[in-house]
Amino acid sequence: MIEQYVLDLQEIDETQVAVVGGKGAHLGGLSRIEGIRVPAGFCVTTDAFRRIMAEAPSIDDRLDQLSRSDPDDREAIRTLSAQIRRTIEEVAIPGDVAAAITRALAQLGEQAAYAVRSSATAEDLPTASFAGQQDTYLNIVGPTAILQHVSRCWASLFTERAVTYRQRNGIDHRTVHMAVVVQQMVFPHAAGILFTADPVTGNRKVATVDAGFGLGEALVSGLVNPDVFKVRHGEVVAKTIAAKQRAVHALPAGGTQEVAIDAQRQEQPALTDAQVVRLVQLGRRIEAHFGRPQDIEWCLVDEGFQIVQSRPITTLFPIPETDDQENHVYVSVGHQQMMTDPMKPLGLSMWQLTAMVPMHEAGGRLFVDVTRRLASPASRAGLLDLVGRGDPLVRDALETVLDHDDFVPSLPDAGPGGPPAGEASAPIETDPALVTQLIERSQASIAALERDIRTKTGPALFDFLLEAFEEHKRVLSDPLSIRAIMAGMEATWWLNDKLGEWLGEKNAADTLTLSAPDNVTSEMGLALLDVADVIRPHAEVVAFLQGVEYAEDAAFLDELAKLAGGTEARDAIETYLDRYGMRCVGEIDITRPRWRERPTTLVPVILDNVRNFEPGAAERRFEQGRQKAQKKEQDVLSRLRALPDGDRKADETKRMIDRVRTFIGYREYPKYGIVSRYFVYKQALMEEAERLVQAGVLPEKEDIFYLTFQELHDVVRSNQVDDQIVQQRKEAFRSYDALTPPRVLTSDGEAVTGAYRRDDVPAGALIGLPVSAGTIEGRARVILDMADADLEAGDILVTTFTDPSWSPLFVGIAGLVTEVGGLMTHGAVIAREYGLPAVVGVEQATRLIRDGQRIRVHGTGGYIEILP
């Protein structure tokens, strides 16, 4: 293969990232779009970079050291990256490479001024921007200076921030190469950045233009505040004109300098409205060419715009795909299910196949389209009431969208057709036997699934699973089950509303539901206290568990049996796993490792329980909660009887207390049933994956996680897989991890978070949703992974979200704060069960509260104070 060291921009398109890097490929693509002017130039290809790296063998050793270093060891990275940069800059550019560059310069004009710009192969990609990580040099004059700055660009692949970014994103340094773009300088009247989608709200219909005088460096470096224009449907809808006191201009002999702007010009707009609209039209043409929203650097030269860069905006949350041009409003499933992390394709497709309503995927998350329910006045009121009771931020976000003129169409009320999903049809009698019957029905269905799936393999397994998903949905949609869940929730709302009205009691149901029967999630937390009781007397077992590494899953239970008391310890853990081993963090994603697959996850929690509790704690905790609830009931009823019409109020309240205690525990059971079934499905699919690995179809079992259920079915049928799809999905999944999913998303791409409209909290307090009454002060423990738990009695758990798998931690804490959650989500229900003051839905709680800070959680008022 003949190496090519220089390519003209006109010869390049966006398919050539490996040869000319992200920036070069985009500039080549831009130069081919009709009506788009790009300054003339050429690209020094990655072939030249590889030649330079080969000239300095010592770099290899340093790259090895770099790949072994910890991304957080800043000193080591700083030292090694500086050594690599120095080595590259000291390498003499080989004669044939230098000659190719100077020939290209001669064709364009040797003594013209040039911008010399880094263009890495892992830069400006749809999944990672790398913006500003490598270097750009402006106004470079003369071949000698240009060659020197090409060397500096090569070296800038190893700036400290670029190296750290790659290590944090799992990108191998050796797989990234550097090309260099050399372009004629333009000397603009004004320059800036155009975003073809609003970078703050995500709205794809709103373009934002930042503009300043002189070169764009003044804006990029933060030297001045830009003028900001917002454009929608071809007109400027908002603008802010800044006082632009300084600009960056090019010097005739090369280089740049800051200059002061005349006082009378400082507050003049850098662009007219007509110029802004014209620029956005060019931006829309560029966006259409690249097929996604763009972040575009532009210059205004002699009344015409020149484009000097365009890259994808990587921070926007993707929009669900539709086959129409209508407006849509989507509500996040993850915020309801306590799982806002991205899901892998198999997990997404399995949840879609077993869900009760259609779900749409975007950014590795699932959303429900609520447009039709918002469009008709009657169903709109019901939807807003239902979501508002659960999570006021979702309600507020939906109301914000409804305030946008004409975004949601108005439809007449739907005719008769039964109640909307999630609403009760007919009342149910308060009878504990109904709950027992529902649980037995679910257990029988799971036992039948376990029995029948054993003989199924290959394509027959997938046919069987599709039938099993129908049974799964039938169990979930059992009218009796839905009515039991709604009865518990409605009784809670009734008690809180009526006792608030009659007695001035806030959230009285929180105490009345303590230690409610049949709550499989709260029982799971207490059962781990019983496991700790078995382990506590055996010092050798405790010492062994303290040394267990997170990765020793397969071996540690077998090793236990060799110790004094180890057999009893192992049996206690095994018994626990038999009942709860299908659970894990993020359990709605079938691809997440279950406790049965990774039992070491539970070790830190067991050790906390051994250290922080006395024997018999589980039984005592449950009994104390039951007595508190009983005492609260007597207190409430006696106070009600003293009121006018008190006997009627007390009788009604007693009926509702009995009702809530009968049904509120069952609220947790359907999820337990889903996850139990999921583990059965997963074990069968992993056996299929093992067969595919044995047959050489897949390199590793976990690769099936990056295929949808239907794609996996096809692979099992054909014994063939597209490795490229698996690789692309892995990269996409990594990029989704960096995105924060919105509670509400529109088809315009607007991410709507919602706000608490409250003025009854102290200044500086963090506002959330009160879900479990009481006030507690203590040490905040910010824990993002259950395996990192190290809790002392009295600690307050602060985390992003809690699903049922977190409940074993709840027995050892004094309070709870989460970023995501609602009144009836699992964390809230269990916090009430255990009597923990809790506030959920606190935006950015894990960033605003530092680990170890003292905080006061107002579980009744719904806010947190950070204490001095």
Side-chain angles (χ1 to χ4, degrees):
M1 190 183 82
I2 298 170
E3 290 180 325
Q4 208 164 7
Y5 297 125
V6 169
L7 287 173
D8 190 274
L9 284 182
Q10 299 286 336
E11 301 176 73
I12 297 166
D13 65 27
E14 53 270 38
T15 64
Q16 291 167 274
V17 172
V19 180
V20 295
K23 187 175 286 149
H26 273 81
L27 283 166
L30 281 167
S31 66
R32 290 161 176 255
I33 305 172
E34 194 179 338
I36 302 298
R37 291 170 60 201
V38 175
F42 60 87
C43 202
V44 182
T45 67
T46 52
D47 283 347
F49 174 75
R50 276 190 285 270
R51 274 284 298 277
I52 294 299
M53 294 293 275
E55 300 277 328
S58 65
I59 289 176
D60 259 1
D61 293 340
R62 294 204 176 107
L63 283 178
D64 286 340
Q65 290 174 42
L66 207 50
S67 62
R68 288 195 298 269
S69 61
D70 183 334
D72 295 321
D73 186 347
R74 297 188 61 175
E75 192 51 50
I77 288 174
R78 186 178 298 127
T79 305
L80 284 165
S81 56
Q83 288 170 352
I84 295 171
R85 286 198 305 279
R86 198 161 49 247
T87 305
I88 292 172
E89 286 186 42
E90 287 168 359
V91 172
I93 299 178
D96 51 346
V97 176
I101 295 170
T102 49
R103 262 198 312 277
L105 281 171
Q107 287 173 349
L108 288 173
E110 267 190 12
Q111 291 312 307
Y114 289 88
V116 182
R117 314 169 72 193
S118 306
S119 179
T121 54
E123 182 179 12
D124 298 343
L125 306 179
T127 56
S129 89
F130 288 72
Q133 305 222 337
Q134 286 92 32
D135 291 347
T136 287
Y137 301 98
L138 299 178
N139 205 33
I140 309 301
V141 179
T144 305
I146 285 167
L147 287 170
Q148 182 188 9
H149 285 86
V150 167
S151 275
R152 286 186 183 171
C153 283
W154 286 330
S156 76
L157 188 64
F158 297 97
T159 62
E160 186 185 339
R161 65 182 180 275
V163 166
T164 304
Y165 186 91
R166 288 197 293 273
Q167 290 200 229
R168 289 193 192 288
N169 285 275
I171 296 166
D172 181 350
H173 302 296
R174 293 173 196 277
T175 62
V176 184
H177 300 116
M178 179 66 84
V180 182
V181 175
V182 180
Q183 263 180 303
Q184 283 184 340
M185 275 292 291
V186 290
F187 302 100
H189 161 73
I193 298 167
L194 157 63
F195 297 97
T196 63
D198 189 316
V200 177
T201 67
N203 195 321
R204 305 319 198 252
K205 300 278 174 71
V206 175
T208 301
V209 175
D210 290 3
F213 294 122
L215 292 166
E217 287 303 288
L219 304 189
V220 174
S221 64
L223 182 65
V224 296
N225 289 326
D227 297 339
V228 180
F229 302 84
K230 291 194 182 293
V231 176
R232 186 184 178 100
H233 299 318
E235 65 176 294
V236 176
V237 292
K239 62 180 165 183
T240 307
I241 306 304
K244 299 169 289 297
Q245 295 172 338
R246 306 190 71 71
V248 174
H249 284 178
L251 292 169
T256 61
Q257 72 171 20
E258 290 177 26
V259 296
I261 294 176
D262 297 342
Q264 65 269 29
R265 277 188 71 216
Q266 287 179 8
E267 299 203 22
Q268 281 180 8
L271 296 177
T272 65
D273 283 11
Q275 287 171 326
V276 170
V277 169
R278 196 163 83 242
L279 175 60
V280 170
Q281 286 169 345
L282 295 175
R284 292 284 176 226
R285 200 176 294 177
I286 293 168
E287 178 183 67
H289 175 82
F290 288 119
R292 64 181 68 239
Q294 297 288 300
D295 160 357
I296 298 166
E297 293 174 29
W298 56 269
C299 296
L300 179 65
V301 188
D302 303 328
E303 295 306 302
F305 287 104
Q306 295 210 29
I307 305 301
V308 294
Q309 176 59 317
S310 184
R311 60 172 71 91
I313 308 175
T314 57
T315 54
L316 297 176
F317 200 86
I319 307 170
E321 288 180 16
T322 57
D323 51 10
D324 61 39
Q325 297 301 306
E326 304 296 316
N327 289 347
H328 293 270
V329 182
Y330 302 98
V331 171
S332 161
V333 172
H335 284 80
Q336 180 201 347
Q337 288 292 339
M338 298 295 93
M339 165 59 176
T340 54
D341 292 345
M343 296 167 70
K344 296 190 178 86
L346 185 63
L348 288 164
S349 62
M350 294 281 278
W351 193 262
Q352 285 171 306
L353 286 164
T354 52
M356 302 310 301
V357 293
M359 291 186 178
H360 307 265
E361 185 271 330
R365 278 79 168 188
L366 291 169
F367 294 85
V368 172
D369 187 341
V370 295
T371 319
R372 288 197 70 79
R373 288 191 71 182
L374 284 176
S376 89
S379 61
R380 178 191 310 151
L383 176 67
L384 290 175
D385 183 53
L386 194 66
V387 300
R389 282 187 179 278
D391 184 345
L393 290 176
V394 175
R395 179 179 183 134
D396 187 78
L398 289 174
E399 286 174 336
T400 302
V401 174
L402 288 167
D403 287 342
H404 295 346
D405 293 340
D406 301 328
F407 186 83
V408 177
S410 253
L411 297 175
D413 285 336
E423 292 179 19
S425 45
I428 184 175
E429 60 181 303
T430 304
D431 180 1
L434 289 173
V435 173
T436 307
Q437 179 191 338
L438 284 166
I439 290 172
E440 284 171 354
R441 262 195 225 176
S442 174
Q443 286 173 338
S445 175
I446 292 165
L449 171 67
E450 288 173 332
R451 183 189 65 237
D452 296 344
I453 205 169
R454 281 184 198 132
T455 56
K456 306 295 189 290
T457 61
L461 169 66
F462 288 82
D463 296 337
F464 172 81
L465 283 171
L466 287 171
E467 288 175 26
F469 297 162
E470 293 310 307
E471 166 67 3
H472 181 124
K473 290 195 275 193
R474 190 196 63 72
V475 172
L476 269 187
S477 61
D478 181 340
L480 185 64
S481 177
I482 292 170
R483 281 155 60 199
I485 293 166
M486 291 308 297
M489 289 165 68
E490 285 166 351
T492 304
W493 298 334
W494 189 96
L495 287 166
N496 283 337
D497 291 348
K498 292 296 184 186
L499 296 181
E501 179 191 330
W502 293 337
L503 298 176
E505 283 262 358
K506 253 188 167 181
N507 301 339
D510 293 1
T511 309
L512 293 166
T513 53
L514 288 171
S515 299
D518 298 313
N519 187 320
V520 70
T521 309
S522 62
E523 287 166 5
M524 178 169 74
L526 296 174
L528 208 57
L529 287 175
D530 291 336
V531 173
D533 284 356
V534 174
I535 288 168
R536 193 180 290 106
H538 304 292
E540 206 179 331
V541 172
V542 173
F544 170 78
L545 291 178
Q546 285 166 339
V548 164
E549 293 291 327
Y550 190 51
E552 290 176 5
D553 288 302
F556 99 96
L557 286 171
D558 294 333
E559 291 295 315
L560 262 182
K562 300 172 186 173
L563 308 173
T567 306
E568 297 94 307
R570 185 190 63 186
D571 291 350
I573 294 171
E574 287 282 7
T575 302
Y576 186 86
L577 290 171
D578 287 345
R579 180 140 168 76
Y580 304 111
M582 76 295 287
R583 309 222 81 148
C584 67
V585 174
E587 60 194 10
I588 70 168
D589 181 354
I590 199 169
T591 71
R592 290 287 191 105
R594 310 284 134 177
W595 291 344
R596 172 50 84 185
E597 296 169 310
R598 193 173 286 171
T600 48
T601 309
L602 295 171
V603 170
V605 193
I606 293 170
L607 289 170
D608 283 349
N609 289 348
V610 167
R611 188 174 66 243
N612 295 333
F613 291 93
E614 296 295 318
E619 201 176 329
R620 275 197 308 280
R621 285 287 295 269
F622 189 80
E623 185 53 29
Q624 283 164 359
R626 199 185 62 76
Q627 287 178 12
K628 256 191 202 170
Q630 208 169 17
K631 191 175 168 203
K632 183 70 172 178
E633 177 182 328
Q634 290 162 355
D635 170 58
V636 162
L637 295 178
S638 66
R639 285 162 61 201
L640 285 172
R641 288 201 174 91
L643 297 176
D645 196 18
D647 285 346
R648 180 189 63 80
K649 288 173 179 167
D651 288 348
E652 276 188 49
T653 302
K654 172 62 176 156
R655 274 201 303 279
M656 283 299 174
I657 292 172
D658 289 347
R659 199 163 176 75
V660 82
R661 289 195 69 79
T662 298
F663 292 117
I664 201 66
Y666 179 71
R667 160 78 181 80
E668 292 293 297
Y669 199 85
K671 180 78 172 281
Y672 176 78
I674 291 171
V675 177
S676 298
R677 301 178 81 87
Y678 258 34
F679 193 37
V680 179
Y681 306 153
K682 182 179 186 181
Q683 287 171 305
L685 290 173
M686 293 312 285
E687 285 174 19
E688 280 308 308
E690 181 58 45
R691 279 190 277 278
L692 291 170
V693 170
Q694 296 297 329
V697 178
L698 288 176
E700 48 192 56
K701 288 193 296 187
E702 283 72 19
D703 283 353
I704 69 165
F705 297 162
Y706 297 93
L707 301 169
T708 66
F709 180 82
Q710 188 53 55
E711 287 167 347
L712 181 54
H713 191 175
D714 294 341
V715 169
V716 167
R717 252 202 310 257
S718 66
N719 260 357
Q720 289 180 308
V721 70
D722 184 340
D723 296 333
Q724 214 172 352
I725 284 185
V726 171
Q727 206 46 48
Q728 285 167 355
R729 298 267 177 82
K730 286 180 179 180
E731 285 168 21
F733 179 75
R734 268 203 299 271
S735 73
Y736 296 153
D737 218 11
L739 300 175
T740 302
R743 282 176 167 80
V744 170
L745 181 67
T746 73
S747 48
D748 281 356
E750 188 173 0
V752 194
T753 310
Y756 294 107
R757 315 285 173 182
R758 292 176 55 189
D759 52 13
D760 59 342
V761 298
L766 307 180
I767 302 174
L769 179 65
V771 296
S772 185
T775 301
I776 191 75
E777 273 184 33
R779 178 180 70 153
R781 292 307 320 274
V782 180
I783 297 174
L784 302 180
D785 185 337
M786 199 171 133
D788 299 332
D790 180 16
L791 296 162
E792 300 288 345
D795 282 349
I796 295 166
L797 174 62
V798 180
T799 190
T800 317
F801 57 79
T802 61
D803 59 13
S805 72
W806 285 75
S807 60
L809 292 185
F810 284 23
V811 297
I813 58 175
L816 174 69
V817 178
T818 68
E819 293 181 348
V820 176
L823 196 62
M824 282 296 166
T825 48
H826 303 278
V829 172
I830 304 308
R832 289 194 290 272
E833 278 274 319
Y834 288 166
L836 299 174
V839 182
V840 302
V842 182
E843 287 287 290
Q844 298 196 333
T846 59
R847 293 190 190 95
L848 298 172
I849 300 170
R850 286 198 315 277
D851 188 46
Q853 269 184 323
R854 286 195 69 75
I855 60 173
R856 185 182 296 127
V857 177
H858 295 264
T860 311
Y863 61 93
I864 294 104
E865 292 177 283
I866 297 175
L867 303 175

